Amino acid sequence: MTMKDDLSADDDVMGQKPGALGMGRARSFPLGLALGLVIGGICTSIVLRDSEESAAIVVAPVERPNSPVNRVTYVKITPGMSSWEVEDMLGSGEVIAEQGIIVDEKGQYRKWENLGRRVSNSSGTMSDHDGQPREDVRRTVRWSNGKRMITVVFQNDTVVEKMEENLY
């Protein structure tokens, strides 16, 4: 008799009869599933804890040579310049805050505010509207190179204020 002839239809793949190790298939599956979930949870916890710890590592900002974020460029930025002129010198920056309202001739408006973590949007119709459409948008944009920063405030795409950090 060969080993193949010795296996019956009730044997599982390893040649064991169900329940030969003290557990039938019906009981071993839920136990295996539970054990797998516990092990998976422990591994996930370790991975997430390690990723949170690595996220806390502070990496020093890297300065790029020949960056336009410098004192010479900062001095060239003057009130009244368009946002396009500033972007021609510095490239596109990061919008760090924006507030605005747009009103059409019928008095319908859309108002928004994005100040980092505080964001709000609203719309409606103004009751005391004079019939003139208007747009009033204040946007704060920052350009950085390592620790060096230039921040410009635009009112309706025109420079109204500028600030620098670590350009000396």
Side-chain angles (χ1 to χ4, degrees):
M1 177 161 70
T2 66
M3 186 170 176
K4 188 173 186 178
D5 294 335
D6 191 33
L7 292 176
S8 71
D10 292 335
D11 293 340
D12 71 5
V13 178
M14 297 299 293
Q16 298 288 328
K17 300 271 186 214
L21 296 176
M23 285 186 248
R25 282 190 195 140
R27 285 195 294 175
S28 64
F29 178 75
L31 182 62
L33 178 62
L35 185 59
L37 289 173
V38 168
I39 292 171
I42 292 170
C43 292
T44 301
S45 173
I46 291 168
V47 169
L48 290 177
R49 184 180 53 205
D50 288 346
S51 67
E52 288 171 4
E53 289 171 3
S54 64
I57 295 173
V58 177
V59 178
V62 177
E63 289 193 14
R64 298 177 317 273
N66 303 321
S67 168
V69 179
N70 56 51
R71 183 82 181 141
V72 173
T73 306
Y74 177 76
V75 171
K76 290 179 182 178
I77 300 169
T78 57
M81 287 180 83
S82 72
S83 60
W84 291 43
E85 291 172 299
V86 176
E87 287 179 1
D88 281 347
M89 288 191 289
L90 292 168
S92 59
E94 174 190 6
V95 177
I96 59 173
E98 184 176 63
Q99 297 171 290
I101 184 168
I102 298 174
V103 184
D104 69 9
E105 61 277 347
K106 296 176 186 172
Q108 294 177 336
Y109 70 88
R110 185 176 139 253
K111 186 176 184 178
W112 70 94
E113 184 173 81
N114 184 350
L115 303 174
R117 294 177 184 230
R118 196 174 84 209
V119 177
S120 66
N121 292 294
S122 63
S123 59
T125 304
M126 299 179 126
S127 58
D128 59 342
H129 185 60
D130 61 5
Q132 296 297 315
R134 71 181 176 107
E135 183 174 322
D136 190 19
V137 179
R138 185 174 181 92
R139 183 177 296 124
T140 304
V141 183
R142 178 174 292 149
W143 290 265
S144 60
N145 181 26
K147 292 182 179 181
R148 299 175 183 194
M149 285 187 244
I150 295 175
T151 304
V152 179
V153 179
F154 298 97
Q155 186 74 35
N156 296 330
D157 288 326
T158 301
V159 174
V160 293
E161 190 177 343
K162 67 178 184 174
M163 294 144 287
E164 58 87 15
E165 201 171 315
N166 299 314
L167 294 183
Y168 292 102

